[in-house]
Amino acid sequence: MVEGAVKILYRRIYANLQQGACGLDELNYEIRDLLDSHNKRKLTGRPYSRYELFLEDEKQQLRPLPEHRFEIRYQSFATVMQNGHVQLSHDKNYYSVPYQYIKKKIKILYTSSTVEIYYKYNRIAMHRRNYKPYVYTTITEHLASTHQFVAGWSASRFIDWANSIDTAVGEYILQIIDSRNHPEQAYKSCLGILNFEKKVGRERLTGACKRALDFKIYSFKTVQKILENNLDRIDFEKEEQEQELPDHGNIRGKQYYH
């Protein structure tokens, strides 16, 4: 029956299309006109058309069309971090969930416009999708600090830990926390910075934080780049004092003005 219907449509629509170049809108208009004629034509040996059959038996069974266009949904799995966020690995950014789900394994369903987060088939959070990497999308009510709840990570814990290394490290961690809209958004960066003490030692971490404070740029990447390029070991002030102007004919020097 399906192949027969295709054959009939081919003969009544495709074969009757006007030959020659035309735009897509004109072509669709012509196809719709031929399709209407096909549907309103009486069926062979029957007193009714396809359109009349549709009105009588099918139309009342139809449900309204969806209000929004269908979007393909993709899925991802993650564990809620101590800062109350999950990472959508495809975009490398973070979305908040209620603090009660910290350390829980969740499922993320996302489309081109939304991110939905599920725990045991129940949706626990929904966000508009943000394509910018390494950005936090946060609903304030989700956060532990809003509910006076501490789940192992807290601003005071990181500041105390940093001050135990050096006051410069403490100041830098404080600046990172203050630079974020919500303190939880800074915890991952704070942990990464403080863990550098095990890798490079207390002295180098302190030097890197002092250098980063001079730059007034507050992020994990800043400290990482300073350590990778050994900028914590360079005394810039001393270099500037020792630097001398080169001899050149275009440089007049102080004697020119005597």
Side-chain angles (χ1 to χ4, degrees):
M1 291 181 65
V2 173
E3 291 178 355
V6 171
K7 182 179 180 180
I8 293 171
L9 288 172
Y10 184 85
R11 288 178 175 176
R12 293 182 180 175
I13 296 179
Y14 180 79
N16 290 295
L17 290 174
Q18 296 294 325
Q19 300 299 316
C22 63
L24 182 60
D25 290 339
E26 291 81 0
L27 182 62
N28 283 330
Y29 179 81
E30 190 176 355
I31 290 173
R32 181 173 293 277
D33 190 46
L34 291 168
L35 180 62
D36 285 342
S37 298
H38 164 72
N39 285 329
K40 292 177 181 178
R41 186 172 179 173
K42 299 294 184 183
L43 290 165
T44 303
R46 299 180 187 180
Y48 51 81
S49 67
R50 293 174 176 83
Y51 182 68
E52 291 169 337
L53 183 64
F54 164 74
L55 292 178
E56 182 178 348
D57 292 344
E58 299 177 1
K59 185 176 180 180
Q60 63 271 22
Q61 304 299 328
L62 297 179
R63 291 181 295 176
L65 291 172
E67 295 182 4
H68 306 287
R69 286 182 176 271
F70 175 79
E71 290 187 283
I72 297 176
R73 302 172 90 188
Y74 303 91
Q75 73 175 12
S76 177
F77 296 90
T79 299
V80 182
M81 299 184 296
Q82 288 284 116
N83 62 2
H85 291 75
V86 294
Q87 184 187 54
L88 179 58
S89 56
H90 186 274
D91 297 334
K92 294 183 173 63
N93 51 28
Y94 304 89
Y95 296 89
S96 68
V97 301
Y99 70 91
Q100 295 94 334
Y101 297 94
I102 287 173
K103 294 185 179 181
K104 302 292 186 183
K105 294 186 181 296
I106 53 82
K107 178 168 71 173
I108 304 172
L109 296 179
Y110 60 98
T111 67
S112 61
S113 59
T114 61
V115 175
E116 298 176 87
I117 303 168
Y118 288 82
Y119 177 70
K120 292 185 177 179
Y121 306 105
N122 295 314
R123 190 174 72 185
I124 59 175
M126 182 175 179
H127 300 271
R128 291 197 63 80
R129 188 172 175 185
N130 190 339
Y131 288 87
K132 190 174 181 180
Y134 307 110
V135 168
Y136 283 82
T137 300
T138 305
I139 296 174
T140 303
E141 289 74 17
H142 287 169
L143 300 179
S145 58
T146 306
H147 301 271
Q148 302 301 309
F149 172 87
V150 177
W153 289 5
S154 66
S156 59
R157 179 191 173 192
F158 285 115
I159 293 169
D160 291 343
W161 180 2
N163 281 320
S164 71
I165 299 173
D166 189 269
T167 55
V169 181
E171 176 63 21
Y172 192 71
I173 292 298
L174 179 62
Q175 291 294 340
I176 285 183
I177 294 172
D178 286 345
S179 68
R180 305 300 193 268
N181 291 328
H182 305 283
E184 284 87 348
Q185 296 174 347
Y187 292 171
K188 193 168 183 286
S189 294
C190 292
L191 184 64
I193 291 169
L194 295 173
N195 279 335
F196 276 130
E197 182 188 11
K198 299 176 184 177
K199 301 176 182 177
V200 300
R202 177 172 297 196
E203 184 177 347
R204 288 203 64 196
L205 176 57
T206 300
C209 287
K210 288 179 179 178
R211 184 68 63 215
L213 285 168
D214 291 339
F215 294 156
K216 296 183 179 180
I217 304 175
Y218 309 112
S219 69
F220 168 81
K221 286 287 185 183
T222 301
V223 176
Q224 184 182 46
K225 290 295 183 183
I226 289 172
L227 292 170
E228 287 177 351
N229 294 289
N230 295 314
L231 298 180
D232 57 297
R233 293 173 169 169
I234 299 175
D235 189 341
F236 289 107
E237 290 184 4
K238 186 176 180 181
E239 279 198 350
E240 288 177 0
Q241 292 173 0
E242 293 178 352
Q243 188 175 15
E244 296 181 358
L245 290 173
D247 292 329
H248 193 278
N250 291 335
I251 300 178
R252 295 171 177 173
K254 61 183 179 180
Q255 67 277 3
Y256 175 83
Y257 298 96
H258 290 312

